[in-house]
Every structure is written in C-alpha cells, then in structure tokens.
Amino acid sequence: MGEAVTLAELTPGSYVVHIDHGVARFAGTTHLDTPGDEREYLVLEYAGDDRLYVPTEQLDRLGSYVAATDEQPTLTRLGGNEWQRIKERAKGAAREIAEELLRLYATRESVDGHRFGPDATWQRDLEDSFPYVETPDQMRAIDEVKGDMEVALRAAFKAVNEGMQVAVLVPTTVLAQQHYATFAERLAPYPVKVDVLSRFRTHKEQAAVVDAAKTGGVDIVIGTHRILQKDVAFSNLGLVIVDEEHRFGVAHKERLKQMRAEVDVLTLSATPIPRTLHMALAGVRDMSVIHTPPEARLPVRTFVSEDSGELVREAILREIERDGQVFFLHNRVRTIHQVAEDLSKLVPEARILVGHGQMPENELEDVMVEFSNREADVLVCTTIIESGLDMPNVNTIIIDRADRFGLAQLYQLRGRVGRGDHRAYAYLLLPDHGDITEAASQRIHAILEATELGAGFRVAMRDLEIRGAGNLLGADQSGQIHAVGLNLYSQLLSQAVEELSRNGSAAVQTEIEPPPRIDLPIPASIPEDYIAHLPARLAFYQRLSQITDRTHIGAVRSDMQDRFGPPPIEVENLLA
C-alpha cells in the first residue's frame, strides 16, 4: 500500500493484519529481555485473549486493517488452520477479479494504440509559457503521463500535435466554460481548434461542434456528459481527459471505454474515488500523485462549530473587510432563497447572490459571471461550486449542515477557497446539540486531520475506510475484503495480477515469502529515550523493515540524526 497506510498512524485499540497470523487488535509496545539484549515488541491481541509479541524488525509482516464495511472485524484465533483457510478463499476471489480486470485492460494493451513521439518545439514553447513554477510532483506527473502517453493541457497539446483529437470530459457546464477559457487562452498562439459542448450552447452551435468532431474540423472538444451521447463521434480520437472523475457514474465510464478500445485515458481527481484508487494501488492502472502545492499557497484553516448567526456574521464581515468574497453553501434548493434572505438580514452590509443547478442555464451563467466580476460579496449556492471552479478572490467557505456531505465532497468543497496566496478559512456548521451519526462524525474528524495541502490522496484512503470497499468490487468480494482487510486483499490482488500477466491464465500461485531473519545476541533497537514518540519510532522500524537496497540505510540514518541527534549504539547495531 506504499505511503498511503503507515503503521505510524496506529493507536492502541486499532486493528492490524499479520500476514501469517491474521486480524488482531494493536495493544501497544513492550520490552522483553532476550539472551544478550532487550528488544521492543508490538503486542497484538487475538481471539480468546491470546497475545502475540511481534519483534519490531518484523513490521514488514504487518499492515493496518482497512475495513470493507462499518462492522468490527472478527479477531483470528491463533494456532490451527483458520487464518490459512480465510487467506486461501480471499486469494481465490482476488484471482477471479484479477482475471476479469486483466481481460479488460489486456484488450486495451493488445490493440495498437498511438505511440507518442518525443516532444517537438511547439510542445517545449507551450511548457515554457506556463505562468507558474512547476512543483517537483507536477514535473514527475507530467513526465509519467508522457511516458504512458499542468498536466491535462500539455498531454492534450501533445496528442493534437501528432494529429489526434482530444475529448475533455467535465461534470458541470460552468467548469466546461472555465476549462474552455483556459485552453483557448494558452493555445491561442498555435493552430489548434478548441470548442466546447454543453447545455450553455444553442442547439445550432451544438450541432456544429458535433459535425466538426466527426469530420476532424475541431482538435479539442471540452464538454459535459453531452460528449458521451450517442450522436457524438470523433474522426480520430487519441486522448480522453476526465476531470473530477469521482463525479461520473459507471455507465458514463463504460461509454468512454466503448468510444475506442485503444484511446488513452487520463483521469484527474483531487480525491480519487476508492475503486480507481484501489485499482491504481493494485497495479492495474498507473497513478501519479501530486502532493506538493503550488508556491505561496497556504493550507485552508478549518473550523467546526454548531450553527451560530454570530459566527457566520463575523466570518463574512472579516472576508469583506479584506476585499474578499464568500461561498455560503446550503444544499437544499427548496430553502436556498429563504437562507439567502436570512443572511441579508444577518449581514445587511453584504451583497448576496444565489446560484443552484436547477436555475435556467443562462440565468446561472449570469450569476457566476457577476460573482466572478466581484459584483457581489456572498454567493449562496448548492454543490455546483464543487467542481474545479477557480476563483482566487473567494477565500472563505461556510458549509451549512456539513454532516450531510461525503468526505471526498467536503475535501473538494474546501478546495474551492485558498486558490490564491491569501490565507483561506472553511467553517463546517453542524446542527445545534451535535446530533450527527457516527460515520458523519468520523468524516468531520478526517477532514480536520487532512489540513495540509495535497492531502487528497490520504482523504481517499480514509474515505475507503469510512465508506468501506463494499461497493468497490461487488457484494461477493466485499465479504473477502472484510475477512482479511483491504491492504492484504490489495496485496493478494496485486500478486494475482502480476502472476497472470507474467504467465498467462495457468499461473502457479506463489506465497508472499518472508525474507530471511538475522538474529544476533546484540542489543539492536530504537530506545524510547532516543525517540520517545511511539508513532515516529514505529515509522522508522517500518521504513527499515521495507528496505530492499542497502544504499537506502544511510538515508534513514541521516533522517534520524537530523531529527533526534546522533544515534546510540543500539540504533547503530540495528542499522548494521
């Protein structure tokens, strides 16, 4: 699972999976004397009050238990064949899924796609014209995207340069317009024809775009679900870019696959939905993660509070005083105008607009244009703002009844502010007396934890835990995931994918082999008086247990020295 799930996040009481012994509850760590030295062990509690002491150098056999449902996992009994049987069943199920996924992706791999050539002069000109400094992650993602095939625009330009057409699929008409403006502006110096297909266009304009796509008269078409309708076809489609992937249903994505088996697909999402996150982790799809925020961007300060008029008034006035604007999110169209009226009484100084998805298109477009031209201070709106809108002047968002939103949704909504270099604020309002469900409470806690920029990947991992992987691969699989936890299931799936890709369907199953153990009668550990913080200590043990190349040991040593001073003899022995 890589960096997504680390043992450093373990707290006593959380569940773990030992690859050889099964599901247990983590009870903390303890020191035991063995001949010649004293070592630190993790204490795991199993069914029937059994305990297992795992030496810290064997942390590579251990992973966090990520749930498939909200139910508590069943603790395994130590001894006997129970865990072996459970693992075999999960392995068989993972294998079936692997065969199905590989059939699908093998079809794509075996059909001859277009092999993109090296970057041409125009490509380099376009990249040099990027108005910001790329972060190292963006550079790596751009390189990775080019290998397989400001990430979307450059990939699109590359495809067009080689005579292919590009479809950019976005979830809302407002976002389609914004992307269209960006693409048109950046590509203006080049002979590239960009057009937009959405409900904002008249029937006549739509027909002209559809016709141009079929005849090759347009290079890049940016649009909403309208692109997926049966009347839309392309003369030479080479790349499909899906923005905000989590907003599209399975049926939409299947239609994309049918459009052409050999088309390259690039999906962008701040919080990849669990299924795609899972497939990328399992090695069926490639994923590049951009953690590093653009220069000068600050994390959004997030507050959770019971609904209070005083707080709302203060937050709005503070934003207006610094010439900023506010999103007030109320996700009920029936009562949205009443809420706007109440707000104008509460903050008579503010100019207020209302925007929601059930308004006539031209009216909604007018509202959005007015607001982005700063002709109002507060936009009272539904989740129409969720999708990628870029309004750098909006630096406060107030979310009414935040307990009713999913975790990925809260993360996306909060990401609508703080897009300039000003500090932004998010207020999550809950009902008085805090009557919210346990799952809602977990979501609010998770969003408060994920305050640093680039935390979307972690949010999706956490969402996977809260929401469970039940809808991930269908009901028959969720039982297997629940039995062994998502991490081990992913490992088994990844293994099955690797075996089948290597040997075809008649692959021989291989067990996950433990590495050889070296046991010397010398003190080799990380003493508590050197690193007192348990999560930090576990993180170092885990890093050391996962090292496969001895040249990496020096990096761990220098990290320790930077943070905690010169390592004592026990640590030097451990590293040796």
Side-chain angles (χ1 to χ4, degrees):
M1 280 311 238
E3 61 194 302
V5 177
T6 63
L7 293 176
E9 290 166 16
L10 279 188
T11 51
S14 49
Y15 292 96
V16 293
V17 183
H18 191 294
I19 201 161
D20 306 314
H21 302 290
V23 180
R25 196 184 292 108
F26 174 59
T29 63
T30 188
H31 290 267
L32 297 176
D33 283 327
T34 52
D37 73 339
E38 181 194 299
R39 284 194 197 173
E40 189 168 14
Y41 290 79
L42 272 70
V43 183
L44 306 186
E45 296 174 339
Y46 283 86
D49 293 334
D50 285 347
R51 287 187 154 208
L52 180 70
Y53 295 92
V54 180
T56 42
E57 68 269 18
Q58 291 181 22
L59 282 193
D60 54 327
R61 308 299 284 166
L62 211 59
S64 304
Y65 174 91
V66 176
T69 64
D70 289 337
E71 294 167 46
Q72 301 284 11
T74 309
L75 297 180
T76 311
R77 286 199 169 280
L78 281 180
N81 299 325
E82 179 196 13
W83 176 242
Q84 211 46 44
R85 282 200 307 275
I86 290 171
K87 219 161 56 167
E88 285 305 322
R89 277 202 301 273
K91 200 182 285 183
R95 194 176 180 75
E96 282 171 34
I97 284 282
E99 284 173 351
E100 189 186 319
L101 288 173
L102 283 168
R103 260 200 307 279
L104 171 68
Y105 284 90
T107 313
R108 282 179 47 90
E109 293 292 322
S110 59
V111 173
D112 281 339
H114 175 77
R115 179 173 291 282
F116 288 97
D119 291 350
T121 315
W122 276 358
Q123 183 79 25
R124 290 193 290 274
D125 287 350
L126 171 86
E127 302 197 353
D128 292 341
S129 73
F130 184 52
Y132 306 99
V133 179
E134 291 97 339
T135 68
D137 289 330
Q138 281 173 333
M139 283 313 296
R140 195 185 63 247
I142 289 161
D143 288 344
E144 286 175 10
V145 166
K146 282 181 191 163
D148 286 347
M149 168 357 249
E150 115 228 337
V151 181
L153 184 96
R154 298 185 189 185
F157 189 60
K158 189 163 185 67
V160 171
N161 261 338
E162 308 211 2
M164 319 288 279
Q165 289 170 297
V166 179
V168 182
L169 181 62
V170 298
T172 64
T173 41
V174 176
L175 189 57
Q177 290 302 125
Q178 196 165 43
H179 274 346
Y180 171 63
T182 305
F183 271 66
E185 183 191 345
R186 291 287 311 282
L187 299 176
Y190 307 99
V192 176
K193 178 91 173 76
V194 184
D195 218 327
V196 68
L197 190 58
S198 76
R199 299 174 316 176
F200 277 169
R201 310 297 300 270
T202 63
H203 285 301
K204 192 175 172 188
E205 287 171 334
Q206 288 188 32
V209 176
V210 170
D211 190 49
K214 280 178 188 154
T215 57
V218 62
D219 301 305
I220 300 175
V221 179
I222 299 168
T224 53
H225 306 73
R226 178 73 184 83
I227 287 187
L228 299 178
Q229 285 168 8
K230 289 281 188 277
D231 64 327
V232 179
F234 290 82
S235 70
N236 187 21
L237 185 64
L239 175 67
V240 175
I241 296 171
V242 186
D243 195 9
E244 304 282 340
E245 185 196 24
H246 59 284
R247 301 289 302 280
F248 293 95
V250 176
H252 295 136
K253 291 178 191 163
E254 289 310 312
R255 168 81 181 103
L256 271 174
K257 284 194 198 114
Q258 291 158 12
M259 280 167 99
R260 230 175 81 174
E262 64 267 35
V263 71
D264 283 304
V265 180
L266 170 65
T267 52
L268 307 169
S269 175
T271 45
I273 49 172
R275 185 192 173 95
T276 40
L277 177 67
H278 177 92
M279 283 167 68
L281 290 173
V284 180
R285 288 170 69 167
D286 300 323
M287 172 162 64
S288 308
V289 181
I290 300 178
H291 287 301
T292 322
E295 207 177 350
R297 192 171 287 184
L298 300 163
V300 179
R301 294 283 303 275
T302 308
F303 302 96
V304 175
S305 161
E306 287 189 354
D307 197 348
S308 133
E310 200 179 318
L311 174 82
V312 170
R313 176 175 162 79
E314 190 189 327
I316 292 174
L317 287 178
R318 187 188 302 156
E319 193 53 65
I320 292 174
E321 274 163 21
R322 57 176 193 168
D323 289 333
Q325 291 168 288
V326 179
F327 286 137
F328 187 97
L329 198 129
H330 175 81
N331 212 25
R332 293 271 189 278
V333 171
R334 219 161 26 106
T335 48
I336 196 166
H337 289 282
Q338 182 58 51
V339 166
E341 204 175 304
D342 295 346
L343 267 185
S344 63
K345 287 176 189 159
L346 182 66
V347 196
E349 304 90 325
R351 300 165 300 164
I352 295 173
L353 281 172
V354 175
H356 59 78
Q358 290 176 26
M359 294 167 81
E361 272 96 60
N362 50 357
E363 199 180 312
L364 176 60
E365 190 178 8
D366 291 345
V367 165
M368 296 315 264
V369 168
E370 258 181 77
F371 189 65
S372 54
N373 290 343
R374 304 188 185 187
E375 290 166 31
D377 305 305
V378 180
L379 178 65
V380 180
C381 55
T382 56
T383 50
I384 54 159
I385 60 158
E386 181 185 355
S387 296
L389 283 180
D390 212 0
M391 294 190 178
N393 199 47
V394 185
N395 284 306
T396 293
I397 184 167
I398 301 168
I399 302 176
D400 191 17
R401 287 306 300 262
D403 55 306
R404 289 179 172 161
F405 294 91
L407 179 58
Q409 216 177 6
L410 283 172
Y411 184 78
Q412 286 286 345
L413 289 167
R414 184 176 64 182
R416 295 309 106 218
V417 295
R419 302 185 76 78
D421 48 11
H422 291 295
R423 165 74 75 188
Y425 299 90
Y427 298 88
L428 311 182
L429 303 183
L430 303 177
D432 300 347
H433 321 303
D435 297 334
I436 62 174
T437 64
E438 175 59 29
S441 170
Q442 286 184 346
R443 289 196 294 272
I444 300 290
H445 276 294
I447 202 78
L448 281 172
E449 283 167 21
T451 52
E452 73 275 29
L453 294 157
F457 183 72
R458 283 232 326 278
V459 167
M461 285 303 305
R462 190 80 180 83
D463 201 19
L464 200 53
E465 276 185 63
I466 293 170
R467 204 150 46 109
N471 60 349
L472 198 111
L473 302 157
D476 50 340
Q477 294 296 319
S478 64
Q480 307 299 343
I481 297 171
H482 186 68
V484 299
L486 188 79
N487 290 344
L488 180 55
Y489 183 87
S490 299
Q491 220 176 331
L492 295 170
L493 181 58
S494 184
Q495 244 184 320
V497 167
E498 201 180 317
E499 283 166 10
L500 291 168
S501 341
R502 215 176 34 231
N503 311 329
S505 301
V508 187
Q509 296 198 13
T510 57
E511 182 57 59
I512 301 167
E513 281 298 324
R517 296 279 166 223
I518 299 165
D519 215 348
L520 301 172
I522 56 168
S525 64
I526 303 173
E528 267 179 72
D529 55 11
Y530 178 55
I531 301 180
H533 188 230
L534 175 64
R537 217 163 53 245
L538 288 180
F540 276 115
Y541 277 129
Q542 188 178 27
R543 269 179 73 184
L544 286 169
S545 69
Q546 289 171 344
I547 283 179
T548 52
D549 179 343
R550 58 191 301 171
T551 58
H552 295 164
I553 295 171
V556 177
R557 189 187 186 288
S558 58
D559 274 5
M560 279 185 178
Q561 179 138 2
D562 279 354
R563 291 173 60 187
F564 303 102
I569 185 68
E570 298 93 330
V571 175
E572 293 292 7
N573 288 342
L574 182 66
L575 295 172

